[in-house]
Amino acid sequence: MITADNYHESLHNIQKDYLNALLNKDRQSAEKLITDSLNNNVPIKDIYLSVFQPAQWEIGRLWQTNKITVAMEHYCTAATQFIMSRLYDHIFSTEKNGLSLVATSVSGELHELGIRMVSDFFEMEGWHTYYLGANSTKEGILDMIKECNADILAISATMYYHIPHVQELITYIRQHNESDKLKIMVGGKAFNMGKNLWKETKADIYALDAQAAIEKSTEILSVNN
Amino acid sequence: MLKGIVLVCNNDFKIEEFLYNSFRNLVFSRGDGSLYSICDNEEKLKLDEFIKQIKNTGAAFNWEINVSFKNLTKPLKFSGSKLDRNFFVFGLETNNDVPFLYEELMRINNEQSNYIRQILKNRFMNTQMERPDEDVLNELSQVNNQLANVQRELSKKNVELNKLNQLKNHFLGMAAHDLRNPLGHIYNYAELVENDSDNLTDMQLQFIGVIKSQSLFMLNLVEELLDVSSIESGEVVLDLQGVNIVEFIRTNIHMNKHLANKKSIKINFNPSGREIFIKIDQKKIDQVLNNLLTNAIKYSEQNTEINVEVKDIDSLVQICIRDQGLGIPDDEINNIFKPFNTTSNVSTGGEQSTGLGLFISKRIIESHKGKIWVKSEVGKGSEFYFTLLKDLK
Ligand code: B12
């Protein structure tokens, strides 16, 4: 039973059990842990940030220290993406607030789970979100920004060597987008490595994780109004 | 120019010598620290493993480890190997420099390098061999990502569609509801005028007849639209009560007799038993029976027969209404339970059809956990079947 007193400990245990289930290739049990937590009124945001995210990081650690194979790492990530997609019905039913977010990964980036998580957080806050995968062209991204009159463009990079691409994309968008309300936000592991890395890209904002991304965006939008 | 660092470390991985350093802002003096001191704190574990691998197997190849500069962190590809009592470690910005570095190393120290070369080259070859696998895996990740994105889009669209559908039902319900009263008035006033027939010409009486039948049709349509909107918004609440279905059918047939009589159609009902008790929502099943019977009458010629059967099959009751009417063409039969799908058949007595009756019937039967289906042959007639659970909970 999850109570207010043992909440954090419970979440931690769920995360451990979740990871163990995946490492045992037991996708069903992993999924059940998540649906059970939902039924116990654990908010989806907590499941994202306190179960999926640390589990993924731990998988990364196990992988880089050669404790698990790359195949196992792929399996776990695929399973987590799948289980996340089972939560979509809950995520997309939030009342809308009229704001819209276009999110994308820089081209060549294969790490998309984090930015999808960021998009889902905005969706849960009532934003309209449009997540374009890493394969979209800069023209496509620009079209999308115009089409949905986006308030924020979120760009994610995990690999350090993708930072210059982020910079290029931002320059392109700034040159071609006429609306002056658009704010550009960057994030992802590449930017989390050094405090000021994001400034190189000339973005308007940077946030450490999905929750911070919401806070930073709300802040900049309210300043602008 | 080569971008990276080349170091010699002692057994504790203290840096003995900087053989090469292309980063000007990485200032370093010899013997001043360990390999750990130039690497990102977060990478300690990885470095442990890297060193362990060199110690255990003689070499490690192409480990990505972040190095900390003054205010900047940079991932370098680290490789290393054992060299007598020391260790050779190099961290490079790109893989491409590795072959070049081998040559350089060779020049620096031929003999020892041969040893390194051998081990590293083997490893390099092995990793090269593994490359295709890596490509496949990356490709797989991309496919997987795209699937996840499509899934996300789909779920989003699905929720939007559901909302639109709800909205549609809401409007439908509102519009139908607002139409019902005025239509009722039109019908009632027409009837009042009709009762005063002494002051009316035949022509006027005929017009009033049209007003009455048209407003009645519209009232029916409105009732059915209201049904559809409440069914669609999932509001079908069943008021289940036990009834003798045999008697129930008999009463319904009786109510429809006058319609059949107008066309000299005979309705036969000869059940084998006298009673089968089941639980149903009487009003709703009455609506289904009405719909099927009036359809049978609508699409049958004069002087034909309609047979109604009821069968007791284990936990089910199966009811069949068989006519000798026009029959439904093959290419239309799959659509008849969909809303607003009337067939190309024209009713034999000019009766009108809203195209909603069978759709509503299907939903009512399904809400009773039963099934409804049809068999038909053009020119011979149609058989409509439906089943009901005897003991619906
Ligand atoms: C899963 C995974 C993969 C999967 C990704 C699948 C997918 N669909 O995402 C695959 C197998 C494809 C992969 C590939 C590679 N990976 Co990988 N991978 C990981 C792993 C284990 C988990 C990533 C993850 O899901 N994290 C969970 C999410 C929720 O966290 P997040 O991404 O950090 O996102 C949060 C924040 O950063 C932030 N955020 C993210 N984006 C944005 C955007 C904005 C605008 C904002 C405001 C915030 C924000 O919010 C998110 C939610 O809170 C990490 C380990 C780790 N510690 O991260 C390694 C890791 C990222 N990978 C790594 C490496 C090296 C690679 C490869 C080069 C390996 C190889 N040799 O092929 C390739 C690179 C491929 C490429 N071109 O991109 C390294 C990167 C090291 C470095 N120095 O940068 C890591 C750190 C592992 C490691 N320590 O060695 N990887």
Side-chain angles (χ1 to χ4, degrees):
Chain A
M1 191 59 205
I2 303 174
T3 62
D5 294 336
N6 67 8
Y7 189 66
H8 287 287
E9 201 191 327
S10 303
L11 274 185
H12 184 68
N13 288 335
I14 294 168
Q15 187 252 307
K16 273 201 321 215
D17 293 348
Y18 177 80
L19 185 65
N20 281 334
L22 287 186
L23 294 175
N24 285 322
K25 296 184 231 103
D26 185 356
R27 193 152 58 81
Q28 275 75 21
S29 301
E31 188 175 344
K32 191 167 178 302
L33 276 166
I34 300 303
T35 37
D36 286 353
S37 326
L38 264 191
N39 294 337
N40 272 321
N41 296 325
V42 178
I44 294 187
K45 286 185 176 179
D46 285 354
I47 295 180
Y48 270 36
L49 287 187
S50 304
V51 182
F52 294 150
Q53 180 167 292
Q56 282 297 104
W57 287 352
E58 177 62 8
I59 287 163
R61 197 187 64 81
L62 293 171
W63 171 34
Q64 64 171 296
T65 52
N66 293 333
K67 300 252 161 52
I68 60 171
T69 62
V70 64
M72 180 53 104
E73 181 276 335
H74 272 62
Y75 167 80
C76 295
T77 306
T80 296
Q81 296 207 114
F82 177 76
I83 294 170
M84 275 169 78
S85 76
R86 307 286 273 206
L87 307 179
Y88 284 156
D89 278 353
H90 299 271
I91 289 172
F92 292 121
S93 46
T94 326
E95 276 302 310
K96 295 293 153 219
N97 63 11
L99 296 168
S100 62
L101 169 94
V102 170
T104 184
S105 284
V106 64
S107 80
E109 183 65 69
L110 287 179
H111 302 91
E112 293 194 26
L113 203 142
I115 179 73
R116 223 180 282 120
M117 207 177 250
V118 172
S119 308
D120 291 350
F121 264 57
F122 277 85
E123 193 71 40
M124 285 185 263
E125 284 297 306
W127 290 55
H128 282 291
T129 65
Y130 305 88
Y131 176 64
L132 307 167
N135 282 343
S136 41
T137 59
K138 54 189 194 308
E139 291 85 6
I141 296 170
L142 184 68
D143 285 347
M144 196 58 175
I145 291 171
K146 290 181 179 167
E147 194 183 314
C148 58
N149 192 14
D151 297 275
I152 290 205
L153 168 67
I155 310 171
S156 175
T158 296
M159 303 309 295
Y160 178 79
Y161 50 75
H162 283 149
I163 292 183
H165 301 316
V166 177
Q167 211 161 344
E168 276 164 39
L169 179 62
I170 293 181
T171 311
Y172 176 84
I173 300 290
R174 286 258 156 79
Q175 270 168 7
H176 294 85
N177 180 50
E178 290 107 38
S179 141
D180 49 26
K181 80 164 178 179
L182 182 78
K183 296 286 168 228
I184 300 179
M185 173 170 62
V186 294
K189 204 170 164 53
F191 296 104
N192 297 352
M193 281 182 185
K195 256 190 190 160
N196 293 319
L197 277 175
W198 69 278
K199 290 186 177 154
E200 288 174 27
T201 67
K202 307 260 180 333
D204 299 303
I205 12 171
Y206 150 80
L208 182 71
D209 66 12
Q211 185 55 41
I214 299 281
E215 287 154 15
K216 289 269 165 72
S217 307
T218 321
E219 203 177 291
I220 197 164
L221 290 185
S222 65
V223 167
N224 270 62
N225 287 336
Chain B
M1 197 190 78
L2 183 72
K3 280 198 163 171
I5 47 175
V6 181
L7 325 159
V8 179
C9 297
N10 71 10
N11 203 32
D12 297 318
F13 275 80
K14 276 242 157 43
I15 299 169
E16 296 273 37
E17 199 161 356
F18 246 85
L19 293 180
Y20 185 81
N21 180 6
S22 72
F23 304 115
R24 256 183 291 133
N25 48 353
L26 184 68
V27 194
F28 220 102
S29 52
R30 188 212 279 222
D32 151 334
S34 73
L35 195 53
Y36 290 94
S37 67
I38 61 163
C39 290
D40 195 331
N41 264 344
E42 272 193 33
E43 304 276 45
K44 277 221 154 56
L45 274 168
K46 194 170 184 177
L47 206 52
D48 280 337
E49 292 296 320
F50 173 69
I51 289 171
K52 213 193 287 168
Q53 188 168 355
I54 302 178
K55 284 187 170 167
N56 290 344
T57 68
F61 184 77
N62 216 15
W63 286 58
E64 193 169 79
I65 295 170
N66 292 319
V67 202
S68 297
F69 297 68
K70 270 184 204 149
N71 55 359
L72 200 143
T73 308
K74 213 179 191 58
L76 294 181
K77 302 277 199 290
F78 272 90
S79 301
S81 74
K82 218 164 176 167
L83 196 90
D84 290 342
R85 257 167 292 122
N86 290 334
F87 295 90
F88 238 115
V89 175
F90 41 87
L92 304 174
E93 272 205 347
T94 57
N95 286 341
N96 306 346
D97 288 325
V98 173
F100 168 70
L101 190 77
Y102 289 151
E103 302 306 320
E104 280 294 289
L105 273 177
M106 230 84 70
R107 250 170 264 146
I108 297 169
N109 189 330
N110 238 324
E111 251 184 53
Q112 284 152 330
S113 302
N114 273 343
Y115 169 67
I116 304 168
R117 188 187 160 103
Q118 200 192 339
I119 298 174
L120 289 190
K121 207 168 182 178
N122 280 345
R123 286 205 156 256
F124 190 54
M125 295 300 280
N126 286 342
T127 356
Q128 287 276 308
M129 303 265 282
E130 282 165 18
R131 273 289 136 84
D133 262 4
E134 202 176 287
D135 283 351
V136 171
L137 282 175
N138 279 351
E139 195 57 33
L140 208 70
S141 300
Q142 236 174 58
V143 171
N144 201 19
N145 275 342
Q146 278 172 22
L147 272 178
N149 296 341
V150 169
Q151 174 89 45
R152 191 175 186 275
E153 258 327 278
L154 266 180
S155 306
K156 203 170 141 82
K157 288 266 147 58
N158 206 19
V159 171
E160 279 166 19
L161 272 179
N162 275 338
K163 275 197 188 136
L164 278 179
N165 202 31
Q166 271 171 19
L167 203 66
K168 179 209 76 185
N169 285 322
H170 182 65
F171 282 140
L172 194 69
M174 256 171 32
H177 195 263
D178 287 351
L179 284 172
R180 188 158 55 177
N181 286 341
L183 281 170
H185 288 320
I186 295 174
Y187 182 84
N188 291 336
Y189 281 109
E191 203 157 56
L192 279 177
V193 177
E194 193 182 32
N195 289 342
D196 197 16
S197 58
D198 297 348
N199 297 323
L200 297 174
T201 64
D202 279 356
M203 180 101 104
Q204 283 168 328
L205 268 176
Q206 206 184 322
F207 289 170
I208 284 171
V210 174
I211 294 177
K212 269 180 61 186
S213 77
Q214 292 296 320
S215 51
L216 202 60
F217 171 72
M218 277 160 74
L219 260 173
N220 256 333
L221 181 62
V222 162
E223 292 293 344
E224 287 185 349
L225 283 176
L226 278 170
D227 278 348
V228 170
S229 95
S230 80
I231 286 171
E232 287 280 270
S233 40
E235 284 167 14
V236 190
V237 184
L238 298 182
D239 173 20
L240 293 179
Q241 274 165 1
V243 302
N244 174 3
I245 189 75
V246 179
E247 241 357 89
F248 189 79
I249 296 172
R250 204 189 297 285
T251 314
N252 188 283
I253 293 174
H254 188 74
M255 301 296 284
N256 280 296
K257 270 256 159 70
H258 72 285
L259 266 182
N261 288 342
K262 277 194 201 161
K263 288 171 116 173
S264 310
I265 292 171
K266 191 165 169 237
I267 306 180
N268 304 314
F269 182 52
N270 303 308
S272 53
R274 284 170 142 256
E275 48 191 35
I276 310 171
F277 278 93
I278 67 171
K279 273 194 198 144
I280 54 169
D281 182 318
Q282 300 191 31
K283 216 174 133 201
K284 296 209 161 64
I285 296 301
D286 200 46
Q287 199 177 344
V288 175
L289 279 168
N290 261 335
N291 182 256
L292 296 180
L293 261 181
T294 49
N295 274 349
I297 298 168
K298 251 186 229 175
Y299 298 107
S300 290
E301 300 290 356
Q302 297 214 331
N303 299 312
T304 53
E305 294 187 7
I306 292 171
N307 287 294
V308 181
E309 282 162 15
V310 56
K311 266 192 194 156
D312 189 338
I313 310 173
D314 301 327
S315 58
L316 296 175
V317 176
Q318 177 181 301
I319 292 148
C320 169
I321 293 167
R322 181 180 298 119
D323 64 45
Q324 300 169 341
L326 305 170
I328 303 157
D330 277 351
D331 56 338
E332 294 178 7
I333 204 153
N334 288 329
N335 288 330
I336 60 168
F337 289 108
K338 295 180 185 161
F340 300 109
N341 255 297
T342 51
T343 62
S344 58
N345 286 344
V346 180
S347 61
T348 55
E351 301 98 327
Q352 282 173 304
S353 171
T354 58
L356 289 171
L358 285 177
F359 171 69
I360 294 172
S361 298
K362 181 166 194 271
R363 289 303 170 92
I364 291 177
I365 296 300
E366 282 169 353
S367 65
H368 280 78
K369 304 218 177 347
K371 289 204 172 73
I372 183 165
W373 68 98
V374 62
K375 290 183 196 163
S376 186
E377 204 176 319
V378 174
K380 290 208 164 151
S382 306
E383 294 171 2
F384 280 87
Y385 293 87
F386 68 89
T387 56
L388 291 169
L389 287 183
K390 279 186 196 159
D391 197 16
L392 183 61
K393 299 258 156 47

